[in-house]
């Protein structure tokens, strides 16, 4: 377990750090509805739901940015794409409130600002989410926008203490982290092996190279199973034997097998030492897979009720910020778990964790 003194030292370094957040910045817009005020539309006769309050906040890569800001990281740089629309305005307002630099958040007339519109019905005891409305781009990201993202990425990376890449969009090449952008990230990871660069991707974590990768059990398993087998040797075994026929069990030991497969295949692909793989186990914590044996970093158990929305993003922020401050991969994983133990207690919101809250959470464990 990380000591309080060590944690305080790492946290004290965060205000002097500069971190680049690359990826899909969404707007999370909550519309609070009062069902008692519903009235029929004069034109259609359908129910017209009445908004009585609203909450807007940056989501996806914006959630990681919020967590980094709450942890006290001093200099945050956003790299992504928004539309020239109301959602983009609200997203930028939210990021500006965190002090994030936005000259790398490129505006395009041809793109939507990705958004999750979440109607919430007022009800006794709280709010209940209704059917969500998603705004996403369904066409390929224009090459001109890719060029701008890649140029900014290459210009800024040498001056950064660390990078985090958030690939949120499911459809290939319709978000910010396209195949070309992912390739550029890998080139920079290869050129700067000492620099913490962490990638978190819902669909394509196995396609990142020369970077630290983090994913949940399902994401890591899919990546391991999706390997294209070349017959090359992996740690004394054929790559096909290493990655084929992986079981579907969610047991941590099985999850370690998936993570190890991804790590070993990357050692072959990258023609050198692979960077660590973190496998999120939810309440059970993290697995850290590197050149040594896999290490289980136990989760921090907290009493309910709990809200796990955004917990993975708080883990990501804890890992990348403290790695950039000089933490070992194991220490960084412990901080990520502490951050998640704080955020899951914050009900009805996408929570964040402050340095004081991390230290208090560590104190509770002793």
């Amino acid at each position: 377990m990380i000591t309080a003194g060590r944690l305080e030292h790492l946290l004290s370094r965060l205000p002097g750090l500069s971190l680049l957040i690359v990826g899909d910045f969404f707007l999370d817009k909550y519309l609070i509805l009062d069902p008692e005020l519903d009235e029929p539309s004069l034109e259609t006769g359908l129910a017209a739901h009445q908004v009585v309050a609203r909450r807007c906040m940056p989501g996806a890569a914006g959630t990681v940015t919020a967590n980094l800001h709450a942890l006290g990281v001093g200099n945050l740089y956003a790299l992504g794409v928004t539309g020239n629309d109301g959602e983009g305005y609200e997203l930028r307002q939210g990021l500006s409130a965190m002090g994030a630099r936005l000259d790398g958040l490129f505006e395009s007339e041809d793109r939507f600002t990705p958004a999750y519109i979440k109607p919430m019905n007022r009800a006794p005891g709280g709010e209940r989410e209704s059917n969500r409305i998603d705004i996403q781009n369904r066409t390929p990201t224009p090459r001109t926008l890719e060029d701008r993202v890649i140029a900014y990425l290459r210009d800024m990376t040498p001056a950064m203490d660390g990078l985090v890449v958030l690939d949120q969009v499911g459809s290939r090449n319709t978000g910010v982290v396209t195949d070309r952008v992912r390739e550029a990230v890998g080139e920079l990871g290869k050129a700067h092996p000492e620099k913490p660069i962490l990638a978190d991707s819902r669909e394509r974590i196995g396609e990142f190279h020369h970077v630290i990768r983090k994913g949940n059990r399902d994401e890591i398993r899919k990546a391991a199973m999706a390997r294209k087998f070349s017959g090359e040797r992996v740690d004394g075994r054929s790559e096909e034997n290493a990655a084929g026929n992986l079981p579907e069990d969610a047991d941590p030991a099985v999850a370690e097998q998936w993570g190890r497969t991804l790590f070993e295949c990357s050692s072959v692909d990258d023609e050198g030492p692979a960077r660590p793989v973190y496998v999120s186990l939810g309440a059970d914590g993290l697995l850290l897979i590197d050149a040594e044996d896999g290490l289980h970093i136990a989760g921090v158990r907290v009493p309910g009720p709990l809200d796990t929305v955004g917990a993975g993003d708080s883990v990501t922020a804890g890992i990348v910020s403290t790695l950039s401050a000089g933490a070992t991969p194991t220490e960084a994983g412990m901080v990520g778990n502490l951050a998640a133990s704080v955020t899951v207690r914050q009900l009805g919101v996408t929570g964040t964790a402050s340095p004081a809250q991390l230290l208090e959470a560590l104190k509770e464990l002793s």
Side-chain angles (χ1 to χ4, degrees):
M1 174 56 66
I2 192 169
T3 66
R6 177 61 172 165
L7 180 58
E8 287 178 346
H9 170 72
L10 292 171
L11 294 173
S12 73
R13 300 194 63 186
L14 300 190
L17 296 182
S18 295
L19 298 183
L20 179 63
I21 304 96
V22 185
D24 300 301
F25 289 84
F26 276 60
L27 178 72
D28 285 343
K29 179 183 286 190
Y30 294 83
L31 301 178
I32 314 306
L33 311 176
D34 187 343
E36 294 187 1
L37 299 179
D38 284 359
E39 58 186 44
S41 166
L42 295 178
E43 292 78 15
T44 67
L46 299 173
H49 305 299
Q50 303 302 304
V51 176
V52 295
R54 58 196 292 275
R55 299 191 298 267
C56 293
M57 60 195 70
T63 303
V64 174
T65 306
N67 276 275
L68 292 170
H69 172 68
L71 287 169
V73 176
N75 303 289
L76 299 171
Y77 297 76
L79 175 54
V81 176
T82 74
N84 180 16
D85 47 33
E87 287 77 21
Y89 173 81
E90 290 174 317
L91 175 60
R92 289 168 182 274
Q93 290 291 103
L95 292 170
S96 294
M98 303 172 195
R101 180 168 160 178
L102 304 183
D103 55 306
L105 194 60
F106 303 119
E107 187 176 278
S108 171
E109 297 281 352
D110 300 324
R111 309 301 282 170
F112 290 127
T113 298
Y116 293 138
I117 312 298
K118 303 178 180 182
M120 308 289 290
N121 288 308
R122 279 187 174 173
E127 299 169 352
R128 292 186 296 109
E129 186 171 349
S130 183
N131 293 333
R132 196 177 74 191
I133 300 170
D134 290 356
I135 301 175
Q136 296 190 46
N137 294 288
R138 308 292 175 178
T139 58
T141 302
R143 191 176 181 88
T144 53
L145 285 176
E146 287 183 303
D147 290 341
R148 295 181 71 184
V149 169
I150 292 169
Y152 190 93
L153 181 63
R154 289 173 174 165
D155 286 346
M156 296 297 292
T157 294
M160 295 292 106
D161 296 294
L163 284 74
V164 56
V165 183
L166 272 297
D167 181 15
Q168 178 84 2
V169 176
S171 298
R172 183 177 293 273
N173 292 327
T174 61
V176 173
V177 188
T178 62
D179 293 342
R180 291 182 63 220
V181 171
R182 191 181 310 105
E183 182 179 357
V185 168
E187 291 171 354
L188 290 166
K190 185 176 183 178
H192 301 277
E194 78 295 342
K195 195 181 296 289
I197 303 176
L198 184 148
D200 192 337
S201 174
R202 287 189 170 183
E203 300 290 340
R204 287 171 284 276
I205 193 64
E207 297 181 29
F208 285 88
H209 298 285
H210 303 291
V211 300
I212 301 162
R213 285 163 295 175
K214 171 188 165 286
N216 63 33
R217 277 181 272 219
D218 289 341
E219 292 161 352
I220 296 298
R221 179 181 182 276
K222 285 194 294 184
M225 295 297 290
R227 300 300 307 176
K228 301 300 184 182
F229 307 132
S230 65
E232 296 183 57
R233 305 297 290 180
V234 179
D235 190 25
R237 296 168 290 164
S238 72
E239 190 171 343
E240 182 170 3
N241 289 336
N245 301 316
L246 289 177
E248 298 187 18
D249 198 322
D251 181 86
V254 177
E256 180 180 344
Q257 186 180 349
W258 305 335
R260 176 62 58 186
T261 295
L262 190 59
F263 178 86
E264 292 174 349
C265 290
S266 294
S267 297
V268 171
D269 293 343
D270 297 349
E271 299 179 347
R275 296 219 202 182
V277 174
Y278 287 96
V279 185
S280 174
L281 305 176
D284 291 327
L286 292 167
L287 289 171
L288 169 61
I289 313 295
D290 58 15
E292 306 299 328
D293 292 335
L295 175 65
H296 180 210
I297 305 173
V300 180
R301 298 287 179 172
V302 296
L306 304 176
D307 186 342
T308 60
V309 174
D313 293 323
S314 62
V315 173
T316 295
I319 291 173
V320 75
S321 62
T322 51
L323 282 176
S324 301
T328 66
T330 302
E331 290 173 333
M334 292 177 180
V335 175
N337 283 345
L338 285 172
S341 78
V342 172
T343 60
V344 296
R345 304 185 216 192
Q346 299 168 34
L347 306 181
V349 298
T350 303
T352 60
S354 69
Q357 288 172 315
L358 290 187
L359 289 165
E360 182 61 28
L362 180 61
K363 183 179 178 181
E364 292 173 0
L365 291 178
S366 60

